[in-house]
Amino acid sequence: MVHIKRLQEDGADILAVIGEIDASSSIELDLAIAKSVGEGSKKILVDCSALEYISSAGLGVFMSYIEEFKDKNIHMVLFGMKEKVVNTFQILGLSDLLHISLTKVEAKKLLHELSV
Amino acid sequence: MLKLKALTRLTFLGAAVAWLVMVFSDVTVLFSDLKGLTPDVPLWLPRLMLDLYVICIFYYYKFKIERDESLNFTDLLWRVFATGLVATVISLALRLLDFLLGSTRLSSNIFFHDVEYLVNLGLLLSFLVAAYTCWKRLILYQKSKWLLRGWLIFEIALVVVLLSDNFKITLEEWLFTTVTVLTGLLALVLSANMKWVAFLNFRQKWTSLLLLLLSFFYLGYFFYTVTRFSDEISLQSVAFLDFRNHSFNIYLFSFVMLYSIFSFLVILFNLPTSSVFEQKLEEVVNFQRISQSVQTEQNEESVYKILLESSVSSVFADAAWLEIKGEQENHRLQTYQITEADARKIQQHLNGRNVKGILEQSTDKTKNLSQHLSTLKGINYRSIMAFPVSVKGEKIGTLALLKELPEGFNKEMTQIVSAFANQAGISIENFRLLKEAIQNERYKEELKIAKTVQKSLLPDKLEKDPAFDISAFSESADEVGGDYYDTLRINDHQVGLIIADVSGKGTTAAFHMSQMKGIFHSLAQQALEPKDFMVRANQALKYCLERGSFISATYFVIDTQSRTIRYCRAGHCPVLFYQAHEKTAGFLTDKGVALGMVKGKDYDNYIETNSMPWQSGDVMVLFTDGITEAKNGRGDEFGLDLLKATVTELAANNPQEIQDRLIKKLYDYTGTEEIDDDYTTMIVKFH
């Protein structure tokens, strides 16, 4: 089960992902990102500090937006991941394709640099 | 059956013989009495024969009527009537003969009168016993223990009376009266059993009344006839068989008469309410139709139809509609005697007035909304009531019933329609469950096929080489996974190895796995650098995988000439490599992005070829994340560290042993044979 909270800070959408993302709950993540994109957000922060587990389907959701974000000039930074979660991103090589920061401050900074 | 038939005939024959003997003996006794002679036959013979006759007739009807299950209530009454009719016709024919004879000597002959009298008496008794048998069936229609006991006592009393007439037992006056009163009371109590009347419909009630009325006529006629004859004969002699001396006859006659009167009155007074009972019966039938619609392979549509029809007929509604809130395109309105436009008009009218009720869909309380209709022009209906149709607590539709009369619905109607609506909801739910079950079954079947396909994609045999041994293992959960491994000889000193994990599960995973197999077999032959292999594989796959899908893989080339492995990791779990001379194991973690993640041409920036020398005794363990993510009872994962420790400990063995013990350890760790992911390993040991 996953719960996704959305709030806005300094012109960026912050999606806080709470819980576990498996095959079925990955749909919620997809919908949340799609909604954010649909409403015209150019900066998206994903707060993964309360993300306990992510399956390949969940990783697939992040992966599937890479091309689209590139085309639409949207920037997304993930931050606050637990070690186990960040490992799964690293093994798949997704950490090379996505922007991942340790803290929210760093993430905001990175987002700012990217959008300049 | 044949036996029963024979018995019936036998009893009939017995009755006929008894009657004949009775006639002859009685005439003889009468003759002797008139002539002052001693009769050749005993005086008690006619009486005994009469008893025998009654007993035979009793069994005759018992076999004929009591055992016949096919008879319904009016059939039974018809039997009584028909027996009476036959008896009356015979009696009337005799009377006609009497009339035709006029005032001849024969017609005034007392013996002739006696025979006539006995014919009539026989007919009367036969009619009485027939009626008695039928009444018995009617009384015992809904048996209870006490009713059966009461009836038994009553029958025994009758038999005792029948027999006691033969022996001139002179009872004390008070005892006789007591017994008579008690028997009479018992007969009264038994006669109160009239439950069968309720099951007659209106028409049957009228028929029954008529039949009973005619039966009264027969009873009256016969009673009059035999009494007249008895009077006539007794003027000359009292030695004949006077039925009035036979208390059994009186008892039987009284009982038959009593129950007939009771039945007649009860039916008569039940006439006005019979429509209610019929309606209730119809409701039950309708109820059954709704609840049994699942078994009879009907569909939801027919349930709605039955619900609408049943509700309308149960409450005598003038019009009705049933609105089903389906999917957007499935929004339906079924109507009865009202146009859809009118129905919408009423809905809009009620909505417009902000009527809180079922039609407004915000509340579940059934409400009589009639008061709001009076203000609606152009529509004749003045009463309306509406009900929700719910499935699993979710409202799927509304049933509305209309009447032209104001205040046309009562509480009972509300209850019955409410019950109909509930039952319809249950039926619909059953339909949906059934559908779901079929769908699930189909899905399971599909998974089975996918699993077979997936199994067949894995190699039966692995490449052999004197320089190394390979062993592989793959076990998947019930849900089909997408783990794949394979080997292919590139040339005499090079062997290609692959391990891959397709994201997702089920048939799509198996399908992508087969694509991966095709890619491996075509690219590996070309002796490509591992990195080039991955770049081409990515090129081939990136448009084949659907959104969000990817494949993690590691490709190895084992070179037995240079004693090195060259490999490229594309997002797959890092390989565990055990070095024998240092007795240590480590994971080969290099950068590498999974296949299908990068759609652009720059995929080669994200992967690299790595090289590693190997020595004798080195062990390489390829695995998928199912192994490291296997959880024990506490939810802890097997993990990389335990895997490393296990392999280090087992490294001295051959690959097959390492594998067997590793898998055993894995199962021990999880504590169950039930796996919820795929376990795949491929173990290479170098010589």
Side-chain angles (χ1 to χ4, degrees):
Chain A
M1 274 308 294
V2 73
H3 181 65
I4 298 172
K5 269 198 264 186
R6 185 180 165 206
L7 47 116
Q8 293 194 321
E9 245 179 69
D10 309 332
D13 254 12
I14 302 182
L15 302 176
V17 186
I18 301 149
E20 298 189 346
I21 299 177
D22 55 20
S24 55
S25 57
S26 68
I27 298 161
E28 279 181 58
L29 176 67
D30 198 8
L31 288 174
I33 298 177
K35 195 176 174 199
S36 203
V37 173
E39 286 172 15
S41 297
K42 291 287 175 193
K43 294 188 225 170
I44 299 170
L45 282 171
V46 184
D47 181 356
C48 300
S49 51
L51 177 61
E52 303 297 332
Y53 166 82
I54 184 160
S55 77
S56 58
L59 297 164
V61 170
F62 285 119
M63 178 209 111
S64 64
Y65 281 99
I66 293 171
E67 295 292 314
E68 190 182 341
F69 285 0
K70 216 178 264 175
D71 295 345
K72 292 186 178 168
N73 201 28
I74 298 170
H75 301 284
M76 179 171 75
V77 178
L78 290 75
F79 69 89
M81 279 184 206
K82 292 196 162 65
E83 197 194 334
K84 216 181 84 185
V85 176
V86 89
N87 264 340
T88 53
F89 277 83
Q90 274 167 354
I91 287 174
L92 268 178
L94 260 179
S95 47
D96 294 345
L97 303 172
L98 298 167
H99 302 288
I100 299 174
S101 297
L102 275 177
T103 64
K104 190 171 176 179
V105 179
E106 283 177 43
K108 275 189 174 171
K109 204 175 135 200
L110 179 61
L111 200 60
H112 182 70
E113 285 165 13
L114 288 166
S115 38
V116 171
Chain B
M1 256 348 267
L2 191 76
K3 210 178 155 198
L4 188 68
K5 221 170 182 176
L7 276 173
T8 316
R9 281 183 187 159
L10 193 70
T11 49
F12 186 77
L13 195 71
V17 169
W19 184 79
L20 281 174
V21 175
M22 178 180 81
V23 169
F24 281 114
S25 55
D26 194 52
V27 170
T28 314
V29 169
L30 189 65
F31 181 79
S32 310
D33 185 61
L34 284 174
K35 301 288 174 194
L37 301 169
T38 324
D40 291 337
V41 291
L43 283 169
W44 45 262
L45 189 64
R47 278 175 172 278
L48 188 70
M49 282 304 122
L50 183 69
D51 291 353
L52 195 64
Y53 173 75
V54 169
I55 290 168
C56 285
I57 283 286
F58 172 78
Y59 277 102
Y60 172 72
Y61 283 116
K62 192 179 171 71
F63 293 138
K64 240 181 128 71
I65 297 175
E66 214 177 305
R67 299 284 164 85
D68 193 346
E69 294 294 332
S70 65
L71 296 176
N72 65 26
F73 304 127
T74 33
D75 285 344
L76 283 173
L77 291 174
W78 177 258
R79 275 294 171 97
V80 174
F81 163 78
T83 315
L85 185 70
V86 171
T88 314
V89 166
I90 296 173
S91 170
L92 286 174
L94 214 60
R95 214 168 242 264
L96 186 69
L97 184 72
D98 223 6
F99 175 74
L100 289 176
L101 288 171
S103 53
T104 52
R105 275 190 63 185
L106 181 64
S107 64
S108 55
N109 187 310
I110 185 170
F111 302 113
F112 180 66
H113 280 305
D114 190 38
V115 174
E116 271 189 300
Y117 159 70
L118 288 174
V119 169
N120 275 306
L121 185 62
L123 290 170
L124 170 63
L125 281 173
S126 141
F127 173 59
L128 285 177
V129 173
Y132 169 84
T133 314
C134 290
W135 288 181
K136 179 181 174 183
R137 260 189 77 162
L138 293 175
I139 288 171
L140 299 183
Y141 172 62
Q142 280 185 355
K143 297 183 189 74
S144 70
K145 206 163 75 182
W146 288 108
L147 181 60
L148 282 176
R149 280 181 192 170
W151 184 263
L152 191 68
I153 292 170
F154 179 66
E155 241 175 26
I156 289 172
L158 280 183
V159 172
V160 168
V161 169
L162 179 71
L163 297 178
S164 69
D165 282 338
N166 278 301
F167 316 103
K168 294 254 185 288
I169 306 167
T170 40
L171 284 171
E172 295 278 337
E173 184 84 10
W174 66 268
L175 190 62
F176 180 76
T177 319
T178 317
V179 170
T180 313
V181 167
L182 282 178
T183 319
L185 277 176
L186 188 60
L188 260 172
V189 171
L190 290 171
S191 300
N193 282 288
M194 289 282 167
K195 296 198 178 77
W196 58 279
V197 173
F199 292 90
L200 300 176
N201 63 28
F202 196 67
R203 215 175 57 87
Q204 285 171 324
K205 283 197 175 115
W206 274 114
T207 318
S208 306
L209 283 180
L210 190 72
L211 292 175
L212 280 170
L213 210 59
L214 287 167
S215 302
F216 285 138
F217 168 74
Y218 300 147
L219 282 173
Y221 166 76
F222 273 113
F223 193 73
Y224 165 75
T225 310
V226 290
T227 313
R228 195 176 60 97
F229 274 120
S230 301
D231 285 344
E232 216 169 276
I233 299 168
S234 57
L235 284 178
Q236 299 186 32
S237 165
V238 287
F240 77 107
L241 189 62
D242 193 339
F243 79 102
R244 288 169 297 190
N245 295 338
H246 225 85
S247 27
F248 173 77
N249 294 342
I250 310 298
Y251 275 53
L252 188 65
F253 186 87
S254 313
F255 171 70
V256 169
M257 199 66 189
L258 182 74
Y259 197 70
S260 306
I261 293 170
F262 268 45
S263 305
F264 187 83
L265 292 176
V266 169
I267 295 174
L268 192 68
F269 291 126
N270 259 301
L271 266 180
T273 53
S274 66
S275 63
V276 176
F277 189 79
E278 276 172 51
Q279 195 194 335
K280 287 284 160 207
L281 212 62
E282 198 185 332
E283 281 164 11
V284 172
V285 171
N286 281 331
F287 214 71
Q288 274 186 329
R289 275 175 69 205
I290 296 180
S291 53
Q292 287 177 351
S293 48
V294 173
Q295 281 101 324
T296 50
E297 290 180 20
Q298 298 185 23
N299 51 24
E300 287 188 20
E301 213 57 48
S302 58
V303 173
Y304 296 138
K305 211 174 141 210
I306 297 170
L307 172 63
L308 194 63
E309 282 171 3
S310 314
S311 307
V312 164
S313 68
S314 299
V315 303
F316 310 107
D318 294 315
W321 78 74
L322 177 63
E323 187 175 26
I324 299 300
K325 306 233 171 255
E327 312 281 303
Q328 286 286 312
E329 69 274 16
N330 249 336
H331 201 89
R332 288 186 308 265
L333 193 69
Q334 288 195 11
T335 56
Y336 168 82
Q337 294 282 316
I338 185 171
T339 61
E340 196 170 333
D342 278 352
R344 295 277 181 224
K345 209 162 147 188
I346 293 172
Q347 282 181 335
Q348 272 161 20
H349 175 76
L350 292 175
N351 285 343
R353 311 202 137 244
N354 257 334
V355 177
K356 291 275 178 243
I358 197 63
L359 285 171
E360 193 237 351
Q361 305 285 335
S362 67
T363 163
D364 246 4
K365 231 165 120 192
T366 311
K367 259 193 184 175
N368 202 326
L369 309 167
S370 309
Q371 48 175 335
H372 306 283
L373 274 186
S374 53
T375 48
L376 183 60
K377 298 272 176 295
I379 301 269
N380 283 330
Y381 304 109
R382 286 294 168 261
S383 298
I384 181 170
M385 60 175 181
F387 301 87
V389 181
S390 309
V391 173
K392 280 188 195 164
E394 185 197 338
K395 192 153 61 191
I396 60 154
T398 319
L399 172 70
L401 298 164
L402 296 158
K403 265 194 183 185
E404 289 177 4
L405 290 170
E407 301 297 322
F409 298 108
N410 59 33
K411 210 174 126 201
E412 283 68 34
M413 291 172 170
T414 316
Q415 279 169 353
I416 187 70
V417 177
S418 186
F420 278 147
N422 287 340
Q423 187 57 44
I426 291 168
S427 288
I428 300 290
E429 189 180 333
N430 285 342
F431 272 123
R432 297 191 174 170
L433 286 176
L434 200 68
K435 227 189 229 169
E436 235 168 69
I438 292 170
Q439 199 70 37
N440 272 344
E441 206 51 47
R442 200 174 292 162
Y443 182 62
K444 268 188 199 159
E445 203 57 36
E446 204 175 274
L447 270 184
K448 234 188 234 169
I449 296 168
K451 203 168 175 176
T452 322
V453 170
Q454 187 215 20
K455 279 261 176 226
S456 70
L457 290 172
L458 295 173
D460 295 333
K461 279 183 194 159
L462 298 167
E463 254 344 292
K464 282 201 174 78
D465 196 283
F468 58 87
D469 285 327
I470 308 183
S471 169
F473 172 87
S474 186
E475 185 62 55
S476 62
D478 285 340
E479 264 189 311
V480 183
D483 282 6
Y484 173 62
Y485 64 84
D486 213 343
T487 58
L488 189 103
R489 180 163 287 281
I490 300 165
N491 51 42
D492 61 345
H493 63 278
Q494 282 186 319
V495 173
L497 258 66
I498 192 162
I499 185 157
D501 185 356
V502 176
S503 74
K505 284 180 160 54
T507 35
T508 28
F511 176 66
H512 290 326
M513 192 175 142
S514 75
Q515 285 180 314
M516 194 62 226
K517 184 178 170 121
I519 288 168
F520 171 70
H521 278 265
S522 62
L523 292 183
Q525 283 174 17
Q526 298 173 29
L528 295 169
E529 265 295 286
K531 184 179 170 179
D532 293 338
F533 174 95
M534 286 301 184
V535 170
R536 292 203 190 183
N538 187 58
Q539 190 67 27
L541 279 169
K542 67 183 184 189
Y543 296 117
C544 298
L545 298 172
E546 75 256 35
R547 185 172 171 270
S549 289
F550 54 87
I551 299 175
S552 71
T554 313
Y555 175 65
F556 299 85
V557 176
I558 302 177
D559 195 320
T560 53
Q561 216 165 47
S562 61
R563 292 176 79 82
T564 54
I565 50 165
R566 294 179 69 72
Y567 65 92
C568 180
R569 191 181 74 86
H572 198 75
C573 303
V575 170
L576 178 66
F577 201 93
Y578 172 82
Q579 288 177 308
H581 68 282
E582 284 178 9
K583 290 196 168 45
T584 55
F587 292 99
L588 306 182
T589 45
D590 315 284
K591 77 166 185 175
V593 172
L595 295 166
M597 281 192 170
V598 178
K599 309 279 184 199
K601 291 222 182 278
D602 56 348
Y603 181 62
D604 57 345
N605 294 335
Y606 296 103
I607 47 165
E608 59 190 21
T609 299
N610 291 287
S611 184
M612 175 109 183
W614 50 264
Q615 287 166 344
S616 181
D618 286 355
V619 178
M620 188 165 80
V621 179
L622 285 59
F623 59 92
T624 57
D625 55 8
I627 302 258
T628 47
E629 285 178 10
K631 288 191 175 94
N632 67 6
R634 288 204 305 273
D636 299 329
E637 293 185 351
F638 191 73
L640 294 171
D641 293 339
L642 192 52
L643 179 66
K644 192 159 86 177
T646 309
V647 171
T648 311
E649 187 192 318
L650 300 170
N653 301 294
N654 68 37
Q656 185 66 47
E657 278 167 12
I658 299 174
Q659 177 187 290
D660 291 347
R661 289 167 73 171
L662 172 64
I663 298 300
K664 189 181 177 300
K665 183 147 191 168
L666 193 63
Y667 279 125
D668 287 348
Y669 183 80
T670 57
T672 169
E673 293 283 309
E674 304 272 312
I675 56 175
D676 60 353
D677 203 345
D678 301 359
Y679 294 167
T680 304
T681 64
M682 183 150 68
I683 299 175
V684 182
K685 184 161 188 181
F686 299 100
H687 296 309

